[in-house]
Amino acid sequence: MGNSALKAHLETAQKTGVFQLTGKGLTEFPEDLQKLTSNLRTIDLSNNKIELLPPLIGKFSLLKSLALNNNKLTALPEELCKLKKLETLHLNGNHLRQLPAAFGQLSALKTLSLSGNQLRTVPTQLCGLRHLDVVDLSKNQIQNVPDTVGELQAIELNLNQNQISQISVQISHCPRLKVLRLEENCLELSMLPQSILSDSQISLLAVEGNLFEIKKLRELEGYDKYMERFTATKKKFA
């Protein structure tokens, strides 16, 4: 892409606070963006070929939304965790295996999408995020859901299309979790904690495509309690 085109994008971004450059085959984060560290609220560089997010990302102090879907990122810089106003982070379709240690410092984060990466576990850093609403970890390589998940503040957790065969009972202690998606995993019915049904806030449990028939789920103790929550929520949204 020519410099003049980039220049035009930068001038627009300076006025609008939005920089969007998708599907242009970019191999690196545009360095010229550092001129706009105090302007930008939104950056969308999805559908490119970016392999590295430079440390200068930490300087965009007003950034609320960052999208880098379908790039070639294998890691994220610790500096990303300095973005105290970041509310939305979309990183679907990359090659990420883990999150930076300080990820829990993204205190304003509400929406996190990491679908289609190479995560092997639910990152413990997510448990420190107090305003998290939606977490999408679908299409990764997650095999189990650890005890720390009980501290997760999310309202919706999407774990579809992983390799999950074990889930900690602690998941039923998530204070705000209403929607839990576990479709197309490797769960036996005996590995699904019954407390999810009998003793949690979860009002939508999606478990199709595991190693048991859905009708068997209906025979479990606590299913009636779950259905009460499910029906109450449905009425609220109807």
Side-chain angles (χ1 to χ4, degrees), residues 130-177:
R130 293 280 162 251
H131 300 288
L132 210 49
D133 290 336
V134 180
V135 182
D136 185 353
L137 300 174
S138 61
K139 300 181 185 173
N140 276 280
Q141 298 162 15
I142 298 169
Q143 295 176 3
N144 67 345
V145 180
D147 287 348
T148 46
V149 77
E151 293 165 43
L152 189 70
Q153 298 287 326
I155 296 169
E156 176 170 342
L157 177 59
N158 186 343
L159 293 164
N160 290 347
Q161 292 178 294
N162 276 284
Q163 300 155 19
I164 296 168
S165 58
Q166 283 186 307
I167 300 181
S168 167
V169 170
Q170 297 297 326
I171 199 159
S172 35
H173 296 163
C174 289
R176 297 167 71 214
L177 191 62

Side-chain angles (χ1 to χ4, degrees), residues 150 155 168-180 192-205 221-230 233:
I155 296 169
S168 167
V169 170
Q170 297 297 326
I171 199 159
S172 35
H173 296 163
C174 289
R176 297 167 71 214
L177 191 62
K178 298 274 195 293
V179 179
L180 178 58
L192 191 72
Q194 290 199 7
S195 55
I196 290 178
L197 298 172
S198 60
D199 194 25
S200 78
Q201 303 288 322
I202 295 165
S203 54
L204 178 63
L205 176 65
E221 203 178 327
Y223 188 77
D224 300 350
K225 276 189 170 174
Y226 162 68
M227 279 315 288
E228 278 172 27
R229 295 193 303 274
F230 176 81
T233 307

Side-chain angles (χ1 to χ4, degrees), residues 37-173:
T37 49
S38 55
N39 299 65
L40 292 184
R41 289 184 302 280
T42 300
I43 296 176
D44 186 354
L45 292 165
S46 298
N47 303 313
N48 283 294
K49 296 174 179 173
I50 298 168
E51 292 180 20
L52 278 179
L53 195 54
L56 76 90
I57 192 67
K59 295 187 174 150
F60 291 88
S61 53
L62 298 180
L63 202 62
K64 279 191 161 184
S65 173
L66 176 60
L68 286 154
N69 296 325
N70 305 316
N71 276 282
K72 301 193 167 198
L73 298 171
T74 52
L76 300 169
E78 289 287 341
E79 286 80 2
L80 176 71
C81 310
K82 292 179 180 166
L83 301 176
K84 294 291 179 234
K85 297 204 166 168
L86 194 68
E87 294 179 5
T88 309
L89 181 57
H90 291 294
L91 295 162
N92 301 324
N94 281 283
H95 309 294
L96 299 169
R97 291 170 184 268
Q98 58 193 39
L99 298 179
F103 198 82
Q105 291 173 13
L106 290 171
S107 49
L109 202 61
K110 291 180 181 172
T111 304
L112 176 63
S113 303
L114 287 161
S115 180
N117 278 281
Q118 295 171 17
L119 298 172
R120 292 179 176 272
T121 182
V122 177
T124 52
Q125 295 94 313
L126 302 186
C127 298
L129 299 168
R130 293 280 162 251
H131 300 288
L132 210 49
D133 290 336
V134 180
V135 182
D136 185 353
L137 300 174
S138 61
K139 300 181 185 173
N140 276 280
Q141 298 162 15
I142 298 169
Q143 295 176 3
N144 67 345
V145 180
D147 287 348
T148 46
V149 77
E151 293 165 43
L152 189 70
Q153 298 287 326
I155 296 169
E156 176 170 342
L157 177 59
N158 186 343
L159 293 164
N160 290 347
Q161 292 178 294
N162 276 284
Q163 300 155 19
I164 296 168
S165 58
Q166 283 186 307
I167 300 181
S168 167
V169 170
Q170 297 297 326
I171 199 159
S172 35
H173 296 163

Side-chain angles (χ1 to χ4, degrees), residues 4-15:
S4 55
L6 182 59
K7 203 171 167 212
H9 273 281
L10 289 168
E11 280 169 14
T12 310
Q14 193 159 8
K15 297 184 190 117

